[in-house]
Amino acid sequence: MSFGNEESFDVNCDVFDDPVPIEVLLEMCRKGKVDIRDIFVSDITDQYIKYVSELEVKDYDNISSFILLASTLLELKSNSLLPKPVEVDENELSDQERFFLKMEEYKLYMEQTDKLRNREILNRFYREPVFAEDEYRIIIKNFDIDKLITAFSSLLEKAEFEEKQEEPKKIAKERFTVAERIIELIEAIRAFKVVNFFSLFEKDYTKLEIINTFLALLEILKQQVAAAEQNGFCGDITIRYTPLTDNFDTKAEEDLLVDANGYH
Amino acid sequence: MLTDIIEALLFASGKGMSSSEMYEGLKHSYTKLEIEKAMRELKESYSGGRGIILIEFNDSYQFQTNPDYGGIISDMLMKTKERELSKTLLQVLAIIAYKSPITKQEIEELRGTNSDYVIQMLLKFNLIEAIGRKETLGHPILYATSEEFLKKFGLTSLSELPDYEELLYKIKNNFDKYFQKSDELYRNRVIDTEDTNQDNDRAEAAAADIDCEETQEDDDMPDFLLGEDVIEVD
Amino acid sequence: MLTDIIEALLFASGKGMSSSEMYEGLKHSYTKLEIEKAMRELKESYSGGRGIILIEFNDSYQFQTNPDYGGIISDMLMKTKERELSKTLLQVLAIIAYKSPITKQEIEELRGTNSDYVIQMLLKFNLIEAIGRKETLGHPILYATSEEFLKKFGLTSLSELPDYEELLYKIKNNFDKYFQKSDELYRNRVIDTEDTNQDNDRAEAAAADIDCEETQEDDDMPDFLLGEDVIEVD
């Protein structure tokens, strides 16, 4: 199930839910039935200054915004009492006009807020998408016949080389990487359902192979493809397939395809 | 049947699916007209008092539980019920909805107070998103409401907002005048979407950007807001 | 309506919900009988060819997409990643292209390593297919490249593969010596196509067969990792 939001709204937002200065001022106008444009011929400025002076100082930043508005109010009011300057640029709004416009605009948004509140839908539920974000299909592109031939030739050469070797030599190189081992192990576990750790080695095993196999086993356990239990101290480890949690496919595909990087 | 296929698709998708996405995937077998007809039929049948309803927003469709049963569902399936948005969040959301695209600084100028916290909360709730940067000094981030916003308020598009046309007219013809710095009207703004990473989690990217932006803007800010840190959300 | 409430609950729940859970949550308003009746009605209406179906298992109910539309759904909704064929896949593909029809065991002997996964991948990508069974002990599946392979590599037939004759000559001379166990030349093989199910999805059939085959071969193999010790191709 998914909530309407990834984040539920059950967060304490009220901490910062105190009204901002302009809201306090608009509320005073509403209560006093004073039109915004009549604000300076009313006692709203005095009311507001009284309000600010009695504010409990919780938060200096907040207080300073109240004080800023108070000083703006005082300045505009004192200007409005003075005779108006004769010359005002046609295109320039007066500070007072600018203030009124802003108040009127904010008032409008406050009204819309109430209308939005009526439309707010709580407790919507959606379904999780069937495909998770990390699931994907692999599309093979860039089919190149030359690469196919090169890959094949390298195999041929290797085979010819093998042919020339009179006696098979012991190959010191590790016979499989951890990544290959993971894929082999998964195949084995899927096929046999239960596999014993000791049975994963042939007679001529090397230390490195045990390490690689063990690392592969750890990765498989991490991927939850299988579960493992040890039969007593130093005993064999039984690896049991856990089909319900096995989601290795896409990752393994990726691993297998990643080795394309070394090939050009 | 096409309606069955679309029903299955919308159900599996979980997210909203636009009719153009639908068309793109089905065009080999069906015409646009057929798809549109099937959508209408489906919307018709998932409506009314049913438990599952098909909602439409921004020309996208999504299945949702009927809000009428929201209470009983959260009682049975959730630990908590969803609470209403706080007044402050709703207030700023209203400003963004009607004035978008809008920068944080413009919101702050209007509100007369620092709005980092509110914007972060709205981003976190997925109700707004960063849609680009304003082509002006400092390239501040422009915010707009998201699809989640439309869904939460049951709107098919922003134009369904209460008094939308009227308000837009007023904003353009009256209120934008006091904004000396707003060189262009909001709706006609040049938005530079290039360096906003649209693929990554927008909210996070934007939230991270807020920090950078703030550092840049510090010089222009009034003293009392200088060095203001982002408020911790607990 | 009770069916609407249950519809909403099952949709929101996502997972299965048992009728007793349902009863527990709704018992203040509805009787067990009413709930069971509503469940039956709901199950009835979500059945048949619809996109969403209501399945019942272990006395639990769950909505799920109709599997009939599984293909189109994953095509449209699952993200895709583009990849080039890896060296490993290319090599095995080349072996199959030049030496087909060929069994898994022969491929493994050539490569010196278990090739189940690679073959499954090539089947999955539709680049190879099972074309029959070899008339030999255990009747192992014979693989060959598919039409898709020719199309993807831009070939009209296998004989267009570069230096085909020359490569084939080399293969005969080198590999057949190397391949002591292979009793016949590849091109002259008798193919028994009878018991390969050509109608079903070949890839899946073959993939499933791999498992069976492995189990069959198990007796002959001292260890499931047999064939591991020849050479490493890299």
Side-chain angles (χ1 to χ4, degrees):
Chain A
M1 165 181 46
S2 70
F3 232 126
N5 269 280
E6 281 160 35
E7 304 285 344
S8 107
F9 289 97
D10 190 40
V11 182
N12 193 357
C13 318
D14 304 336
V15 180
F16 287 85
D17 220 16
D18 297 331
V20 295
I22 193 169
E23 286 168 359
V24 172
L25 193 61
L26 282 166
E27 182 60 18
M28 285 174 178
C29 291
R30 193 186 65 82
K31 274 191 183 150
K33 297 199 172 78
V34 174
D35 189 89
I36 290 166
R37 287 180 182 264
D38 295 334
I39 206 166
F40 298 123
V41 294
S42 72
D43 66 342
I44 295 287
T45 307
D46 300 331
Q47 270 188 48
Y48 180 78
I49 287 165
K50 185 166 178 287
Y51 174 86
V52 173
S53 62
E54 285 168 0
L55 261 183
E56 188 192 337
V57 180
K58 288 189 289 193
D59 172 353
Y60 284 97
D61 291 336
N62 199 28
I63 283 290
S64 52
S65 62
F66 275 95
I67 293 169
L68 188 69
L69 182 61
S71 64
T72 308
L73 275 176
L74 282 175
E75 192 193 347
L76 289 173
K77 184 160 188 172
S78 61
N79 282 347
S80 73
L81 297 174
L82 295 170
K84 289 207 170 75
V86 191
E87 203 55 51
V88 181
D89 189 344
E90 287 289 312
N91 298 321
E92 270 288 302
L93 291 173
S94 67
D95 288 345
Q96 186 174 309
E97 180 62 18
R98 199 172 287 138
F99 176 80
F100 287 151
L101 283 172
K102 189 174 172 177
M103 290 279 285
E104 281 165 355
E105 181 173 5
Y106 204 92
K107 184 171 172 245
L108 221 61
Y109 292 135
M110 282 180 80
E111 288 162 11
Q112 295 320 113
T113 302
D114 294 335
K115 291 182 187 169
L116 274 181
R117 176 71 78 201
N118 293 333
R119 298 197 64 118
E120 185 179 10
I121 303 170
L122 295 176
N123 297 306
R124 296 158 299 143
F125 296 94
Y126 299 98
R127 261 182 62 87
E128 298 289 352
V130 167
F131 299 108
E133 281 294 304
D134 56 355
E135 273 182 276
Y136 49 82
R137 284 182 299 147
I138 290 174
I139 293 178
I140 300 294
K141 54 156 192 180
N142 293 349
F143 288 90
D144 185 341
I145 202 84
D146 288 339
K147 282 188 179 176
L148 185 77
I149 298 308
T150 316
F152 194 47
S153 306
S154 73
L155 190 69
L156 272 177
E157 280 159 24
K158 194 93 176 203
E160 277 179 64
F161 175 76
E162 285 292 311
E163 189 73 16
K164 281 173 194 146
Q165 303 285 319
E166 287 299 310
E167 292 164 27
K169 281 182 182 160
K170 190 95 184 159
I171 303 164
K173 192 178 174 232
E174 56 179 305
R175 291 181 291 195
F176 38 76
T177 63
V178 178
E180 287 166 346
R181 199 59 165 157
I182 289 171
I183 290 170
E184 288 167 10
L185 261 175
I186 285 176
E187 291 306 326
I189 292 164
R190 282 180 183 158
F192 298 109
K193 311 304 174 208
V194 179
V195 173
N196 288 324
F197 188 66
F198 290 172
S199 75
L200 299 173
F201 305 100
E202 291 157 59
K203 281 177 190 123
D204 59 342
Y205 61 83
T206 64
K207 230 184 244 174
L208 190 62
E209 285 171 19
I210 302 179
I211 294 166
N212 280 353
T213 306
F214 192 67
L215 288 175
L217 176 62
L218 289 180
E219 181 60 27
I220 285 165
L221 297 178
K222 200 175 105 194
Q223 298 284 340
Q224 298 187 309
V225 176
E229 60 186 66
Q230 192 168 23
N231 317 321
F233 184 63
C234 283
D236 201 350
I237 300 168
T238 307
I239 307 157
R240 213 172 293 278
Y241 183 47
T242 49
L244 288 179
T245 49
D246 179 7
N247 56 0
F248 193 76
D249 262 6
T250 49
K251 191 177 181 309
E253 280 173 27
E254 191 73 352
D255 286 346
L256 208 69
L257 289 159
V258 155
D259 77 71
N261 297 338
Y263 179 74
H264 291 291
Chain B
M1 267 271 289
L2 184 55
T3 45
D4 297 323
I5 294 171
I6 294 175
E7 186 183 45
L9 272 170
L10 287 172
F11 181 79
S13 156
K15 299 177 292 222
M17 221 176 160
S18 69
S19 41
S20 57
E21 272 177 276
M22 208 91 69
Y23 174 61
E24 195 54 37
L26 298 168
K27 65 180 172 190
H28 300 298
S29 324
Y30 300 96
T31 68
K32 196 158 190 168
L33 228 70
E34 287 172 317
I35 294 167
E36 279 165 3
K37 183 166 166 280
M39 291 300 283
R40 275 197 306 277
E41 277 172 27
L42 206 61
K43 208 184 162 194
E44 180 69 25
S45 78
Y46 282 98
S47 58
R50 282 193 62 168
I52 307 173
I53 54 170
L54 186 60
I55 58 162
E56 186 184 348
F57 54 94
N58 271 359
D59 198 34
S60 284
Y61 296 86
Q62 184 172 8
F63 282 126
Q64 177 192 294
T65 55
N66 190 328
D68 292 352
Y69 311 122
I72 197 163
I73 294 171
S74 33
D75 282 348
M76 279 179 68
L77 303 176
M78 307 289 291
K79 278 172 287 191
T80 54
K81 273 192 188 174
E82 185 183 18
R83 299 196 319 186
E84 286 188 338
L85 284 175
S86 78
K87 211 177 157 203
T88 304
L89 287 180
L90 199 60
Q91 183 67 68
V92 176
L93 201 51
I95 294 172
I96 297 173
Y98 286 97
K99 241 174 134 75
S100 66
I102 186 169
T103 68
K104 181 174 72 88
Q105 213 194 337
E106 287 160 352
I107 295 168
E108 286 178 345
E109 253 183 88
L110 194 59
R111 297 184 70 225
T113 185
N114 178 295
S115 304
D116 286 337
Y117 175 80
V118 182
I119 288 172
Q120 279 195 34
M121 290 299 278
L122 292 173
L123 283 169
K124 190 177 159 197
F125 291 153
N126 239 345
L127 292 167
I128 62 167
E129 56 193 7
I131 58 157
R133 287 173 184 277
K134 193 173 167 189
E135 291 223 322
T136 178
L137 193 73
H139 279 247
I141 295 171
L142 286 166
Y143 296 100
T145 49
S146 63
E147 292 199 334
E148 175 60 25
F149 168 81
L150 294 178
K151 290 195 271 181
K152 181 154 183 64
F153 292 91
L155 306 163
T156 60
S157 75
L158 276 185
S159 61
E160 280 194 1
L161 279 169
D163 318 316
Y164 185 70
E165 293 301 326
E166 187 194 330
L167 246 77
L168 224 58
Y169 181 82
K170 280 190 182 166
I171 290 169
K172 274 188 183 177
N173 291 290
N174 300 324
F175 304 135
D176 274 349
K177 283 183 205 156
Y178 75 79
F179 244 121
Q180 303 151 289
K181 286 176 196 164
S182 89
D183 33 0
E184 284 162 75
L185 296 178
Y186 294 89
R187 297 287 151 185
N188 308 324
R189 265 181 189 170
V190 180
I191 302 171
D192 173 14
T193 52
E194 231 168 71
D195 61 345
T196 307
N197 196 340
Q198 302 269 1
D199 293 327
N200 285 346
D201 187 346
R202 277 172 174 163
E204 277 190 25
D209 274 335
I210 284 170
D211 289 342
C212 312
E213 210 188 326
E214 220 162 42
T215 327
Q216 287 174 356
E217 283 178 4
D218 264 357
D219 292 348
D220 307 321
M221 284 173 116
D223 283 349
F224 67 92
L225 286 177
L226 262 181
E228 174 70 352
D229 268 340
V230 179
I231 295 149
E232 278 296 321
V233 184
D234 54 324
Chain C
M1 267 270 291
L2 183 55
T3 45
D4 296 325
I5 294 171
I6 294 174
E7 186 183 44
L9 272 170
L10 286 173
F11 178 83
S13 149
K15 333 177 278 252
M17 225 176 155
S18 68
S19 41
S20 57
E21 272 176 277
M22 209 89 70
Y23 174 60
E24 198 50 41
L26 298 168
K27 65 182 173 191
H28 301 297
S29 325
Y30 301 95
T31 69
K32 195 158 191 167
L33 229 68
E34 285 173 318
I35 293 168
E36 278 165 2
K37 184 166 166 284
M39 293 295 270
R40 275 197 306 278
E41 278 173 26
L42 206 61
K43 207 183 162 197
E44 181 68 28
S45 78
Y46 280 97
S47 59
R50 284 193 60 168
I52 306 173
I53 53 173
L54 184 60
I55 56 162
E56 185 183 354
F57 61 96
N58 286 346
D59 195 38
S60 274
Y61 294 86
Q62 183 174 356
F63 280 127
Q64 94 177 18
T65 51
N66 190 329
D68 292 351
Y69 309 121
I72 196 163
I73 288 169
S74 63
D75 280 352
M76 278 179 66
L77 299 179
M78 212 172 183
K79 284 195 294 192
T80 55
K81 277 195 183 177
E82 288 194 338
R83 288 283 179 273
E84 292 186 24
L85 281 178
S86 73
K87 188 182 174 184
T88 310
L89 290 176
L90 273 172
Q91 272 179 345
V92 176
L93 196 55
I95 293 172
I96 297 171
Y98 279 106
K99 289 170 75 77
S100 64
I102 185 169
T103 69
K104 180 177 74 89
Q105 212 194 336
E106 286 160 354
I107 295 168
E108 286 179 346
E109 279 180 64
L110 261 174
R111 297 183 63 226
T113 182
N114 178 294
S115 303
D116 284 339
Y117 198 79
V118 182
I119 289 171
Q120 282 194 41
M121 293 284 286
L122 292 173
L123 284 168
K124 197 175 155 188
F125 293 144
N126 228 354
L127 293 169
I128 62 168
E129 54 194 9
I131 58 158
R133 288 176 185 277
K134 191 174 170 186
E135 291 221 323
T136 178
L137 191 73
H139 281 250
I141 295 170
L142 286 165
Y143 295 101
T145 48
S146 62
E147 289 276 329
E148 185 72 9
F149 166 83
L150 294 177
K151 236 186 344 194
K152 285 275 165 69
F153 283 93
L155 304 166
T156 53
S157 80
L158 275 185
S159 60
E160 272 188 22
L161 280 171
D163 298 314
Y164 180 73
E165 293 304 326
E166 194 193 326
L167 276 167
L168 200 68
Y169 180 77
K170 271 192 184 173
I171 293 160
K172 280 185 181 172
N173 284 294
N174 290 324
F175 282 137
D176 288 339
K177 268 186 268 168
Y178 175 77
F179 235 130
Q180 286 142 337
K181 289 175 200 165
S182 85
D183 37 0
E184 285 167 76
L185 288 179
Y186 296 92
R187 288 286 149 190
N188 307 327
R189 262 186 194 159
V190 182
I191 301 171
D192 168 19
T193 53
E194 237 167 65
D195 61 345
T196 306
N197 192 342
Q198 302 271 359
D199 293 329
N200 284 348
D201 185 349
R202 275 171 176 166
E204 275 195 26
D209 274 335
I210 283 170
D211 287 344
C212 309
E213 213 185 323
E214 217 164 43
T215 326
Q216 284 174 0
E217 283 173 6
D218 194 25
D219 292 346
D220 305 324
M221 291 169 104
D223 184 320
F224 72 94
L225 288 174
L226 183 86
E228 181 62 27
D229 57 340
V230 188
I231 41 161
E232 201 192 358
V233 185
D234 232 313

